[in-house]
Amino acid sequence: MRHCGARGAHHGAAGSATNPLLHLHLPTGTPHACSTTLMRSHPPLAAHLRRLLHLSPSAHLIIRRAMASTAAAAQAQPGGVPPATAEYEEVLGRLSSLITQKVRAHSGNRGNQWDLMAHYVKILELEEPIARMKVIHVAGTKGKGSTCTFTESILRSCGFHTGLFTSPHLMDVRERFRLDGVNISEEKFLKYFWWCWNKLKEKTDDDIPMPAYFRFLALLAFKIFSAEQVDVAVLEVGLGGKFDATNVVKEPVVCGISSLGYDHMEILGNTLGEIAGEKAGIFKKGVPAYTAPQPEEAMAALKQRASELGISLQVADPLEPHHLKDQHLGLHGEHQYINAGLAVALASTWLEKQGHKDRIPLNRTDPLPDHFIRGLSSATLQGRAQIVPDSQVNSEEKDKDCSLVFYLDGAHSPESMEICAKWFSHATKDDGRLPSSVEQSQTSRSQKILLFNCMSVRDPMRLLPHLLDASTQNGVHFDMALFVPNQSQYNKLGSNTSAPAEPEQIDLSWQLSLQTVWEKLLQDKGINTTKSSDTSQVFESLPLAIDWLRRNAQENQSTSFQVLVTGSLHLIGDVLRIIKK
């Protein structure tokens, strides 16, 4: 297996200690630093260490996402000049202080206890504003962000003043709060942040501590949407449903459950029934509920909860192309017709409940009203089946036959891996989907490359086999797989620091494990008949991998390089920051 320029993973940092049992090189330093290395490289041991150290399985993921915000903003400017004010950077630092490192079930983790949400809402005087809010509430494993985006876009096309709360953000925390389809301005974000922060700081103490990171963001969303007097607030559940911060809404107008699958099993349960039961926690007595088509076990759990509450649970059929009068959905991929179908049901029900029956579709067979089609075709959401040509390569080589195109999809569950592979296959075969600069390329051949990382709380044996099998079945053979750490883990919130200067500081044991899984899959399926260095590489940083891709594209001008980036929305955000500089 080839490992590019990361001698630290093989030989360890100077003065590192070696664990003979695991054959791992552990960095010197704090117990937490050592535990991080072990958790990445040895998942069974990871669970034990988390129990000992009270680290939540998603803590590292949240930290890296939050810590990336400032660097993202800085990198987006020419010359690396940060556009954010000093005040904005201070706010990002305050937000990072709310990130908890204790497991959800730990008795000392007061900031994450569900019963505290009522106190926070009371402190912020949000009981009445939330009760008046016309909410559409959506949970699910796959597609809930897309469903929310479609729903908001439809209602905005109908002329309503909309608020949309989603997660995670890819480059800037303000992406989570959209007003009329646009990220909240920095000025408004700062105003509402300080209003919430100061009130909570004044009223919290040891018994009622400051809320944890996501809960604060949800409370901030409620403040923003109530103060901005939106007509409709579309809320995406962060995790699960029953105990999610968004579930303080007692009477939404309508609820929706997008496609269910296996994810966050360490928190939500080991079966589809258990996971569905958690998601159905957003159902409320007297509130209509819709679901996308589900596996039998998941559907049974959803129906049971609906029956207990005495509410109707209806299955929203996927849209068909004729419903859109043959226009394309704004979000690409065949699976988006499932999410769009659920969005149409949610938006229609909201309109009906608000007394706008004249605006809803007459039936399920005819084409949708024009304002619905307009909303569905104009919806945008970064990192979901997104195609981005590399402007550096394509602009530098504009007179030559050379192209480098990134296909970005934040799939991170077994089912979404299959969908992602199918989309990549179709997108790379369909020139009509490519931007015009790529369409004009007359390259004679293409190289398909996988750029992958997933968080260490996920099992690569549940992800990579689905990706490889679905790719093969759809005619895609990856010429190379690149494994990288997420760049955002090196960025401290409130500063512009980047990757450590010394390669020895970078732990790549997790990426090397991913590479091992990949190579064994190729071997088992008889795909790899050459040495592994010809089929996969590990890079010590994402920028090095991007540089390698750009160099190859420039040196092989008769080849089109088509790069599938997947496994983590956080990796997607990191790639977007680099290629959109």
Side-chain angles (χ1 to χ4, degrees), residues 3 28 43 79 157 183 185-186 211 224 251 273 303 356 358 404 422 433 454 469 481 498 505 538-539 564-565 576:
H3 172 207
T28 55
S157 290
N183 297 348
S185 68
E186 183 179 315
I224 291 169
E251 292 185 42
K303 285 180 176 177
H356 302 287
D358 55 319
L404 172 60
K422 191 174 181 182
R433 286 288 181 87
C454 67
D469 288 346
S498 57
Q505 297 177 18
V538 169
F539 287 88
L564 174 62
V565 186
L576 283 171

Side-chain angles (χ1 to χ4, degrees), residues 154 254 290 314-317 340-351 372:
I154 291 170
V254 61
Y290 289 87
Q314 299 184 55
V315 177
D317 295 326
L342 179 56
V344 166
L346 295 172
S348 298
T349 301
W350 187 91
L351 286 166
F372 271 66

Side-chain angles (χ1 to χ4, degrees), residues 212-525:
Y213 177 72
F214 181 80
R215 293 194 168 179
F216 182 91
L217 294 178
L219 292 162
L220 178 56
F222 289 125
K223 175 59 183 175
I224 291 169
F225 296 156
S226 61
E228 291 294 316
Q229 297 182 319
V230 299
D231 297 320
V232 55
V234 183
L235 305 180
E236 177 191 355
V237 167
L239 178 64
K242 184 177 181 181
F243 298 111
D244 187 74
T246 60
N247 208 28
V248 294
V249 177
K250 295 176 181 176
E251 292 185 42
V253 175
V254 61
C255 294
I257 306 288
S258 67
S259 301
L260 296 176
Y262 293 99
D263 197 20
H264 298 295
M265 294 163 65
E266 74 283 356
I267 297 168
L268 303 180
N270 293 314
T271 69
L272 274 180
E274 290 174 339
I275 292 170
E278 285 293 317
K279 308 286 185 182
I282 68 168
F283 290 171
K284 305 291 188 302
K285 194 176 181 66
V287 176
Y290 289 87
T291 179
Q294 303 288 0
E296 187 177 340
E297 183 183 356
M299 188 64 80
L302 295 178
K303 285 180 176 177
Q304 179 181 339
R305 181 58 186 151
S307 175
E308 290 168 359
L309 292 169
I311 61 174
S312 67
L313 174 65
Q314 299 184 55
V315 177
D317 295 326
L319 286 191
E320 302 286 346
H322 79 270
H323 287 126
L324 300 165
K325 298 179 182 175
D326 294 323
Q327 288 197 43
H328 289 297
L329 290 170
L331 307 181
H332 298 304
E334 287 186 18
H335 61 288
Q336 292 294 0
Y337 284 92
I338 297 172
N339 300 324
L342 179 56
V344 166
L346 295 172
S348 298
T349 301
W350 187 91
L351 286 166
E352 183 180 355
K353 292 283 185 182
Q354 300 308 306
H356 302 287
K357 287 187 178 181
D358 55 319
R359 303 194 191 186
I360 66 176
L362 295 176
N363 54 57
R364 296 183 181 184
T365 55
D366 291 342
L368 292 167
D370 287 346
H371 46 272
F372 271 66
I373 295 174
R374 215 168 34 243
L376 291 166
S377 61
S378 63
T380 60
L381 184 62
Q382 289 199 111
R384 279 77 165 180
Q386 183 180 4
I387 302 173
V388 184
D390 185 53
S391 56
Q392 179 175 312
V393 168
N394 291 313
S395 62
E396 287 179 4
E397 304 290 337
K398 60 185 175 183
D399 298 323
K400 302 175 185 177
D401 294 332
C402 173
S403 67
L404 172 60
V405 183
F406 292 90
Y407 296 77
L408 304 136
D409 192 80
H412 51 268
S413 71
E415 298 85 0
S416 57
M417 281 285 138
E418 294 179 13
I419 291 169
C420 170
K422 191 174 181 182
W423 163 73
F424 179 62
S425 170
H426 290 177
T428 51
K429 289 174 185 172
D430 181 6
D431 287 340
R433 286 288 181 87
L434 295 177
S436 57
S437 61
V438 181
E439 285 177 23
Q440 295 163 3
S441 174
Q442 301 298 316
T443 51
S444 60
R445 63 184 296 269
S446 68
Q447 281 241 335
K448 293 186 169 54
I449 296 172
L450 173 65
L451 180 58
F452 187 90
N453 191 36
C454 67
M455 306 310 293
S456 56
V457 295
R458 296 196 164 91
D459 181 0
M461 284 305 297
R462 293 184 62 84
L463 301 181
L464 289 172
H466 286 267
L467 177 65
L468 184 59
D469 288 346
S471 298
T472 304
Q473 289 163 13
N474 286 278
V476 168
H477 166 68
F478 289 105
D479 299 279
M480 179 66 70
L482 312 179
F483 299 96
V484 295
N486 285 2
Q487 184 68 9
S488 55
Q489 66 184 298
Y490 302 122
N491 299 324
K492 290 185 178 179
L493 193 64
S495 72
N496 299 322
T497 55
S498 57
E502 293 298 322
E504 287 85 356
Q505 297 177 18
I506 302 171
D507 170 40
L508 292 169
S509 51
W510 178 246
Q511 283 67 42
L512 290 166
S513 298
L514 295 175
Q515 184 189 35
T516 301
V517 171
W518 180 258
E519 289 295 339
K520 187 168 189 316
L521 286 171
L522 294 182
Q523 211 170 43
D524 291 346
K525 296 177 185 304

